Amino acid sequence: QVQLVESGGGLVQPGGSLRLSCAASGSIFRINAMGWYRQAPGKQRELVASITSGGTTNYADSVKGRFTISRDNAKNTVTLEMNSLKPEDTAVYYCNARIIRFVNGFEYEYWGQGTQVTVSS
């Protein structure tokens, strides 16, 4: 089995910062892309940022210059640093990873349980 466990999130004032972390564990051979998605009430889930195993990053236009994604391949973790937060960043944030498992060498997509980020004064 593979699990993604998220930490971080919470309530922050506009202009503030938060850090989200996600750790993958279980029968993992290799992790390919990792990323963060978010879903606000009444809206579809959207990509926030992603990072390949080689470190190539991709960001949604709405967060460019404010959010930074990074990963530690040795620890199977991915982190999202969020600065200059805005009320429109309020959403449930989900960790995502594409993982190749030892059991059969196939790639599977996994999701974390989600963590709430609320930006409000």
Side-chain angles (χ1 to χ4, degrees):
Q1 283 285 36
V2 172
Q3 281 189 315
L4 299 183
V5 177
E6 299 150 347
S7 60
L11 173 64
V12 65
Q13 292 186 342
S17 299
L18 282 175
R19 173 187 289 183
L20 304 182
S21 295
C22 174
S25 63
S27 178
I28 298 170
F29 173 69
R30 184 176 72 240
I31 302 179
N32 290 332
M34 303 185 82
W36 290 93
Y37 287 71
R38 68 185 180 188
Q39 188 167 19
K43 295 187 176 181
Q44 290 188 332
R45 191 173 297 190
E46 63 176 359
L47 174 68
V48 177
S50 64
I51 184 168
T52 67
S53 57
T56 299
T57 57
N58 179 50
Y59 295 93
D61 287 342
S62 59
V63 307
K64 282 181 181 177
R66 301 187 298 121
F67 291 11
T68 302
I69 189 170
S70 61
R71 64 188 283 176
D72 185 329
N73 291 331
K75 296 182 179 179
N76 291 338
T77 60
V78 61
T79 299
L80 185 68
E81 298 274 2
M82 305 184 292
N83 299 312
S84 303
L85 282 160
K86 305 175 181 180
E88 50 263 44
D89 294 318
T90 295
V92 178
Y93 284 69
Y94 297 90
C95 176
N96 174 275
R98 295 185 177 276
I99 296 173
I100 296 178
R101 296 188 62 192
F102 274 115
V103 65
N104 56 17
F106 293 161
E107 181 184 89
Y108 296 88
E109 182 176 38
Y110 293 92
W111 294 89
Q113 78 280 7
T115 185
Q116 178 70 46
V117 171
T118 302
V119 185
S120 175
S121 55

